[in-house]
């Protein structure tokens, strides 16, 4: 069983007082009981259940929690036994194996299986809540443990039930093709203008156009799988956009549901891509062990799918997590495997959503790895190579320029760092991307020891004038 960060004794859940609180779904009373029992602070409770401390405070002050998604998150974070879960009106769930278990090995007893209909209901609630900007959704924080169970389900869940429905309106291939075409358009906008440009539009499209097809449509198994796969691809993009805007809890929910959809659709290739995106987010946020496990899960899935480019992508995600963990030897081995996998790839059959993964993207990931390891000469070479890229990827170019500038700063070359950083700043100003802003701000901080130099003073002034004074 996963360790309980709140250290609640299992027998405490059988006390009459807490059972009454659970039966009433009085989450404020539950949190107050946890505080009195364990001495946990609001921040500690929030970290355990994946909610912001401010939202925990409001719940304890009387705000009601009605979202099943959030109640499930609280139950999981508190490690509620089945008796407590059923008292609160939730389905029982067996525990997952330790989060540190390598390669997502299969446990003796897999967790309770959700059906694809459960996943559709959860997705519809998420999309509706996102469109309506519900406070309960926006207060959900990222939790590295929140990726353990979805990845475990990916490997241990049996083949899903047939994806068939006798709805009011037939869902044919034209409707599915429309979702894919809209996804391709939104993906292009994301690359060119950043995640914030069309994030709200994508959420509305999922809520207003995709939800009715899933919940009210009529489709046979083959059409149902194609529909779920198309919905998964768009949900993955929505999660990526939220991640780009530093809405990490929402991004995690989108990516998790996208993975569940891909499983129901039997789409291993898309599943590998989603697991790689999860790894990317976890490593970016500093959860390197989770990022490493997810990258390896992506690699195992990519090999099962027989798509060498996805295998290469999984290896570079693995390498980045290893570089952040300062394991240079293992990182070098993963990078070598990525190069080999890409050399074997036949790109003619790649899905459209994988077109971004090319030599420039691979070079950028190599540059990030060597930069994290302090191998500046290698990092500079690959960062420079990454700029030989398709100019439609404006956000990617901003990232790669910021990387090269950061390498120059780390090499003690502030003038060169400022010159390249100015190019990154110009592109960042055209984007709605919290990640792009963060990279420029990180460069600004790196250059602080050289703030007396004219070039650094000028660059810092431009950054503050463009992005606003640093708070």
């Amino acid at each position: 069983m996963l360790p309980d960060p709140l250290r609640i004794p299992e027998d405490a859940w059988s006390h009459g007082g807490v059972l009454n609180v659970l039966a009433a779904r009085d989450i404020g009373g539950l949190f107050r009981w946890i505080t009195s029992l364990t001495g946990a602070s609001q921040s500690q409770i929030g970290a355990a259940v994946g909610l912001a401390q401010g939202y925990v405070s409001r719940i304890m002050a009387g705000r009601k929690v009605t979202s099943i998604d959030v109640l499930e998150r609280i139950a999981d974070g508190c490690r509620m036994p089945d008796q407590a879960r059923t008292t609160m009106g939730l389905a029982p769930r067996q525990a997952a194996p330790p989060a540190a278990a390598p390669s997502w090995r299969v446990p003796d007893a897999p967790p309770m299986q959700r059906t694809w209909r459960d996943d559709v209901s959860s997705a519809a609630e998420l999309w509706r809540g996102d469109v309506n900007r519900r406070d309960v959704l926006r207060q959900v924080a990222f939790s590295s443990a929140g990726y353990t169970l979805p990845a475990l389900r990916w490997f241990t869940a049996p083949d899903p039930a047939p994806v068939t429905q006798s709805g009011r309106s037939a869902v044919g291939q034209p409707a599915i093709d429309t979702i894919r075409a809209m996804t391709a358009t939104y993906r292009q906008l994301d690359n060119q203008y950043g995640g914030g440009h069309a994030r709200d539009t994508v959420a509305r499209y999922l809520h207003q156009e995709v939800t009715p097809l899933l919940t009210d449509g009529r489709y046979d198994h083959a059409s149902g799988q194609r529909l779920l796969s198309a919905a998964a691809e768009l949900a993955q993009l929505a999660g990526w956009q939220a991640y780009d805007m530093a809405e990490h809890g929402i991004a995690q929910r989108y990516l998790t549901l996208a993975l569940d959809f891909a499983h129901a659709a039997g789409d291993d290739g898309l599943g590998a891509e989603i697991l790689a995106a999860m790894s990317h987010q976890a490593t970016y946020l500093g959860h390197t062990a989770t990022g490493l496990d997810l990258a390896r899960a992506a690699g195992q899935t990519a090999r099962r799918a027989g798509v060498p480019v996805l295998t290469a992508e999984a290896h570079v995600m693995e390498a980045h997590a290893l570089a952040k963990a300062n394991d240079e030897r293992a990182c070098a081995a993963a990078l070598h495997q990525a190069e080999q996998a890409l050399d074997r790839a036949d790109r003619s059959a790649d899905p459209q959503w994988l077109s971004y993964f090319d030599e420039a993207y691979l070079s950028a990931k190599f540059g990030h790895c060597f930069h994290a390891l302090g191998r500046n000469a290698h990092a500079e070479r690959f960062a420079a190579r990454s700029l030989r890229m398709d100019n439609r990827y404006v956000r990617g170019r901003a990232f790669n320029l910021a990387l090269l500038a950061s390498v120059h700063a780390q090499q003690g070359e502030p003038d060169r760092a400022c010159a390249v950083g100015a190019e990154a700043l110009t592109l960042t100003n055209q984007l709605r991307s919290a990640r792009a802003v963060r990279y420029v701000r990180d460069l600004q901080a790196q250059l602080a020891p050289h703030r007396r130099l004219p070039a650094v003073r000028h660059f810092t002034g431009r950054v503050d004038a463009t992005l606003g004074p640093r708070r």
Side-chain angles (χ1 to χ4, degrees), residues 93 112-123 153 157-163 228 257 260-261 263-264:
R93 176 174 291 160
M112 184 197 77
Q113 304 307 329
R114 292 165 56 92
T115 68
W116 68 268
R117 294 182 189 276
D118 294 329
D119 297 332
V120 167
S121 296
S122 294
R153 278 201 304 265
D159 291 339
V163 185
L228 279 181
L257 284 165
D260 289 335
F261 275 19
H263 179 266

Side-chain angles (χ1 to χ4, degrees), residues 197-265:
H197 178 75
R199 200 186 95 60
D200 291 344
T201 305
V202 171
R204 281 195 300 274
Y205 186 83
L206 285 164
H207 171 54
Q208 295 173 358
E209 303 295 335
V210 178
T211 292
L213 295 175
L214 291 168
T215 58
D216 300 328
R218 182 172 70 253
Y219 37 85
D220 59 17
H221 180 58
S223 295
Q225 283 194 309
R226 290 194 295 272
L227 175 61
L228 279 181
S229 178
E233 184 184 341
L234 184 54
Q236 188 265 347
L237 174 60
W240 191 257
Q241 291 174 316
Y243 163 32
D244 193 43
M245 291 304 294
E247 297 173 334
H248 292 294
I250 296 176
Q252 184 170 39
R253 294 295 299 122
Y254 269 102
L255 293 175
T256 296
L257 284 165
L259 186 67
D260 289 335
F261 275 19
H263 179 266

Side-chain angles (χ1 to χ4, degrees), residues 50 73 126 137-143 147 242-243 246-256 281 285:
R73 181 182 284 259
L126 171 66
L137 177 62
R138 295 181 182 276
Q139 293 293 340
V140 172
F142 176 87
S143 163
Y147 275 150
Y243 163 32
E247 297 173 334
H248 292 294
I250 296 176
Q252 184 170 39
R253 294 295 299 122
Y254 269 102
L255 293 175
T256 296
Q281 183 191 24
L285 292 174

